[in-house]
Every structure is written in structure tokens, then in C-alpha cells.
Amino acid sequence: ISFMSKMVVDNRISPLLDQIGQLSQVDLNLLLKDDDGGLDMSKVEEHVGRRGVGSIFNNINDGKLHNASEYRRMIKLIQTVASEHSRPPVLFGLDSIHGANYVGGATVFPQALNLAATFNPKFSEKVGEVASRDTRAAGFSWIFAPLLGVGVEPRWSRIYETFGEDGLVVERMASAMIRGIQMEDTEGGTPARAAACAKHFIGYSQPRNGNDRAPSHITRRDLYEYFVPPWQHILNSVDRPWTVMEDYNQVDGVPTVANEELLTYLLRYRFQYTGMVVTDYSEIYNLEEWHHTASNKIDAIRQVYDKSDGIDMSMIPFDVDTFQTSIEILEQDGKISRERISKSA
């Protein structure tokens, strides 16, 4: 008997399935047709209607730059399916890191490193405000920006996404951008505001050999003296981001996505952060496929949701069945508590 058939009785969705769905984030491209790239309504019915996926992210990966109207029409259809199945509204996320760079016709700005060279937080705030406006125009209300990493490794391929090597500059510029992103639209825009997603928690910007996703070898002193302060200030300020994204890497050999010290102790306890935390792309599955600390995907999911309460949502992004079935099995076996699932949902 399949996971779905066990959880659906007389067309009623069980509370557990509802909650597991809210932990699930999928790539928009999973819901598209293979031939023309249009929305495949049968896939939308399956993943949003029956499986209750809580979030969808990404741009359309067909080599074209689609405008706001195209995205908005697509998102409206998906939200209609969610409503018809009595689901909460789906949360749509996009990487608008220097303006709404994935939306055709949007205003694009210099990258964060160039913006930091102005030493003017007002510019950063305005970039966040305009990026929010143009991203929301496309129907996305969750923006995966800004990056709070301290740019101390010049060989790193994503160094341009940082606000540079000075922690104070990073804190001031990132805080201003968050304020701009989360500013309420007073001109009647719908949605009226967006949520910022500060990333990547923590130490991602110092890969040992400069290669993206390479492990970070950061001493405890360096971690707390250089990398922690921007996060600590921003997460305890009035301009705190409503969401946080963890990172791909390992800090001193421990993958961040399953790192109790960083996520539970530092983020949740020391910083008292109660907002939603999402993984980076396929990072839970990467415990098996990349970090090699899990024997299989179900073991990877157990590592993340068992002892630590750091992660809420998994950027899956395609294998939804494995993720949802695994959590249901782990809950039945007593390896993940129902309380843990409810807390993140």
C-alpha cells in the first residue's frame, strides 16, 4: 500500500500528511510539461493537491527570461488547486539577489560586492525594496537574499554575492537590504510584502580550496569572531529576516544541515531565532550523496529531523515521494516525533 493511499481515507487528508506536506519544497520545473514547458496540471494536482507541498521555488529553466505576467498566471493556477483541496496558500520563492534577475523586464542592480563598495546602506535598502516589488509582481513573495557570508576567500566562485570581507559592512548592508525586501507596499501591490531569506548559515563563504561547496575549515575563534557577528546582530535586530537558509558545506567536518551546534545551539538557542529555516538545494539528500554521512535518504532525513530542531523545510527539490514517505515511516517507528513534525509545520 502506498504512502498516499494509507494517508488518504474517503478523500480526507490526514493531519500528519498535511504537516509533512508543509515541510516540502519543490522545484517549479517539476510541475512543467516536458514538451512545451507549460504547466502540467496533472502534476500540480498530484503534488499540490494530493501531496500538499507547502512551497515551490525557482525560475523556469528553459533558457528564456519569462516576464512577471507569465509567472503570475502560472502561480494563480497553482494557488487555485491548493484552494480547491483546502490547502494553505503555497509559498513561492525566488533567488532575486541583485534585483529580480530571473524576471523579464525587472530592474537589475549591481551585485552585492559592488553595492558594498558604496558603503551606503540606503542604496542597499532601495535595491531590496525594488527587488521585492518586481519579484512580488511575478507572484513570488519569498526572496532568497541577502547573503550574510563574510567574503574572506577571493577564490570562491560566489564571492560577488557577498558584501565583502568586513563583518560590519556585511551587517549594515545586509540589514538594510532585508529592511527593503520586507517593507510593506503602500501602493496596493499584491502580495503586499515579501519575506527575506538570509543565507547561508554559516561559514559557507570560506571553502578550504576556493571551490564552491568545498568544506570550510574554520577555527572556533574565527567562527565566533568573524562569521557570527553579522548574523547575531541581524537576527536580534528589528530588521531580522523572517526566514533563514542553511548552507551546502561542512564546518570542521560536520555538514551544516545536520549540525546540532550550529543550528540548535547557535541559531535557535543563542540567537533565539524562531523564524522558519529552509535547507539549500537538495541538502538533506546530500548527506548521502555528497557528504557521505548517511547510509541512505531515510537515514539522512532522520539525522536532520531527529535530534536537531534547526531545519523546518526541505528544498527537496524533485523526489517528493521519498521525502514524504520516509518521514511517515520514521514517525511510525518512533525515530521522529510527531511533536517535531508539528513544530516545523
Side-chain angles (χ1 to χ4, degrees), residues 146-186:
L147 197 150
L148 271 63
V150 180
V152 294
E153 175 48 80
R155 297 173 299 175
W156 186 43
S157 59
R158 299 181 68 175
I159 190 73
Y160 59 87
E161 289 185 53
T162 76
F163 287 108
E165 64 183 354
D166 186 280
L168 181 62
V169 175
V170 171
E171 174 253 301
R172 296 288 170 84
M173 300 298 282
S175 182
M177 182 172 285
I178 291 167
R179 185 164 56 250
I181 289 172
Q182 297 183 162
M183 187 181 298
E184 185 171 4
D185 188 338
T186 59

Side-chain angles (χ1 to χ4, degrees), residues 41-107:
M41 294 309 296
S42 65
K43 294 179 180 178
V44 176
E45 285 284 342
E46 169 65 17
H47 291 92
V48 176
R50 297 185 66 239
R51 293 189 176 275
V53 162
S55 179
I56 297 170
F57 76 103
N58 216 351
N59 57 295
I60 300 172
N61 287 327
D62 61 358
K64 302 174 184 177
L65 193 60
H66 296 265
N67 63 37
S69 296
E70 293 176 85
Y71 279 116
R72 203 172 183 88
R73 281 194 298 269
M74 193 172 286
I75 288 172
K76 186 175 180 180
L77 288 171
I78 294 172
Q79 296 288 26
T80 298
V81 171
S83 177
E84 289 172 348
H85 287 265
S86 300
R87 301 292 190 187
V90 178
L91 183 58
F92 284 86
L94 191 64
D95 275 303
S96 295
I97 57 174
H98 59 116
N101 43 285
Y102 286 114
V103 179
T107 302

Side-chain angles (χ1 to χ4, degrees), residues 176-327:
M177 182 172 285
I178 291 167
R179 185 164 56 250
I181 289 172
Q182 297 183 162
M183 187 181 298
E184 185 171 4
D185 188 338
T186 59
E187 298 180 358
T190 305
R193 66 203 314 174
C197 186
K199 61 183 186 181
H200 305 82
F201 194 83
I202 187 171
Y204 180 44
S205 56
Q206 190 179 325
R208 180 177 58 176
N209 57 10
N211 291 330
D212 192 34
R213 307 193 192 189
S216 295
H217 287 191
I218 304 173
T219 66
R220 185 175 296 268
R221 177 179 176 181
D222 284 351
L223 179 70
Y224 281 87
E225 187 167 344
Y226 298 112
F227 295 90
V228 164
W231 284 97
Q232 185 171 19
H233 178 87
I234 288 174
L235 294 182
N236 288 300
S237 73
V238 295
D239 296 317
R240 69 178 62 87
W242 293 335
T243 67
V244 164
M245 183 185 294
E246 63 82 45
D247 60 39
Y248 285 118
N249 72 332
Q250 304 172 16
V251 176
D252 289 343
V254 182
T256 303
V257 72
N259 193 318
E260 288 185 64
E261 179 184 358
L262 297 183
L263 295 179
T264 302
Y265 171 69
L266 187 59
L267 180 61
R268 295 299 195 186
Y269 176 71
R270 282 282 300 275
F271 297 165
Q272 292 291 295
Y273 185 70
T274 57
M276 196 263 278
V277 178
V278 63
T279 74
D280 210 330
Y281 199 93
S282 194
E283 188 55 15
I284 292 181
Y285 290 166
N286 284 344
L287 289 174
E288 177 200 10
E289 299 169 356
W290 183 268
H291 302 293
H292 306 299
T293 61
S295 56
N296 50 45
K297 287 184 174 62
I298 193 169
D299 182 41
I301 294 166
R302 180 197 60 77
Q303 288 185 29
V304 172
Y305 286 102
D306 178 14
K307 297 179 181 178
S308 172
D309 62 355
I311 298 298
D312 296 307
M313 179 175 285
S314 172
M315 191 181 288
I316 298 175
F318 294 105
D319 190 357
V320 184
D321 183 65
T322 296
F323 178 76
Q324 295 189 338
T325 302
S326 295
I327 290 187

Side-chain angles (χ1 to χ4, degrees), residues 16-49:
L16 178 60
L17 179 58
D18 269 332
Q19 292 178 336
I20 293 174
Q22 290 302 298
L23 307 184
S24 312
Q25 183 182 61
V26 301
D27 193 309
L28 175 60
N29 295 277
L30 174 67
L31 308 179
L32 304 183
K33 297 176 182 177
D34 295 329
D35 51 0
D36 63 4
L39 200 61
D40 188 326
M41 294 309 296
S42 65
K43 294 179 180 178
V44 176
E45 285 284 342
E46 169 65 17
H47 291 92
V48 176

